[in-house]
């Protein structure tokens, strides 16, 4: 199962951050591997640090075995 990484900005006026946080919690409850980075002062953008962390998380938690 593919891991999922979310980034959210608390000041986002396009996508409510509460909806992303809620979705991440539901997926975690279902046993999915989830990374959630919330920028307390961020808006509707992802900074380099959070994008890199998301990419690294997905790559490090992906089952790369040939099936």
């Amino acid at each position: 199962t593919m891991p999922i990484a979310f980034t959210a900005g608390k000041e986002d006026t396009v996508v409510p951050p509460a909806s992303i946080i809620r979705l991440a919690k539901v997926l975690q409850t279902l046993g999915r591997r989830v990374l959630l980075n919330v920028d307390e002062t961020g808006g509707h953008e992802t900074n380099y640090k959070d994008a890199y962390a998301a990419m690294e998380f997905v790559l490090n938690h992906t089952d790369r075995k040939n099936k």
Side-chain angles (χ1 to χ4, degrees), residues 8-66:
K10 283 281 191 156
E11 303 299 321
D12 191 338
T13 59
V14 178
V15 179
S19 66
I20 296 168
I21 294 166
R22 188 171 52 250
L23 176 58
K25 287 180 181 179
V26 168
L27 291 170
Q28 286 173 328
T29 300
L30 294 172
R32 298 295 300 267
R33 290 171 289 187
V34 176
L35 172 71
L36 173 62
N37 283 338
V38 179
D39 184 342
E40 296 296 322
T41 60
H44 189 73
E45 72 279 330
T46 300
N47 61 38
Y48 180 84
K49 181 184 104 193
D50 288 346
Y52 189 90
M55 179 188 68
E56 190 172 51
F57 175 82
V58 170
L59 291 174
N60 287 335
H61 291 88
T62 299
D63 182 6
R64 297 184 205 150
K65 294 178 187 174
N66 291 328

